[in-house]
Amino acid sequence: MTTHYESSHPRVRRWANTKDAAAHIHRHPEVLRRWHRERDEHPWLPMPRRVGKNLLWDLDELDAAIDARVDRPEGR
């Protein structure tokens, strides 16, 4: 009997603080902070979770958002 455990377990999220998330996407932390502050200009940016004074970013969501920006046709 074969059991598939992959479908029964939720996805494991990879969380990072702003400094590490910015390094992950090869940007300065202040760029990520500015994008977050200017939500109207950057609606594609996923919302981080606030834990105390810190923001935690889901790296998979951040990757997907960046990839969608890179893959979109010019002029849009």
Side-chain angles (χ1 to χ4, degrees), residues 58-71:
D58 182 325
L59 295 180
D60 294 328
E61 287 182 3
L62 195 55
D63 285 341
I66 296 290
D67 289 347
R69 297 277 302 164
V70 170
D71 294 343

Side-chain angles (χ1 to χ4, degrees), residues 28-41:
H28 192 277
E30 190 52 41
V31 171
L32 191 53
R33 288 184 193 101
R34 180 172 39 87
W35 287 350
H36 178 63
R37 282 191 309 268
E38 299 171 353
R39 299 288 314 165
D40 292 342
E41 295 179 32

Side-chain angles (χ1 to χ4, degrees), residues 4-73:
H4 296 283
Y5 292 103
E6 294 173 12
S7 62
S8 65
H9 293 291
R11 168 177 84 86
V12 175
R13 292 179 145 188
R14 299 179 304 144
W15 295 98
N17 62 25
T18 300
K19 180 181 175 184
D20 294 336
H24 180 76
I25 61 170
H26 307 287
R27 296 288 182 266
H28 192 277
E30 190 52 41
V31 171
L32 191 53
R33 288 184 193 101
R34 180 172 39 87
W35 287 350
H36 178 63
R37 282 191 309 268
E38 299 171 353
R39 299 288 314 165
D40 292 342
E41 295 179 32
H42 309 284
W44 53 270
L45 187 68
M47 288 295 293
R49 284 208 175 151
R50 183 168 294 282
V51 177
K53 293 182 178 183
N54 299 313
L55 295 178
L56 294 181
W57 301 85
D58 182 325
L59 295 180
D60 294 328
E61 287 182 3
L62 195 55
D63 285 341
I66 296 290
D67 289 347
R69 297 277 302 164
V70 170
D71 294 343
R72 70 183 188 158

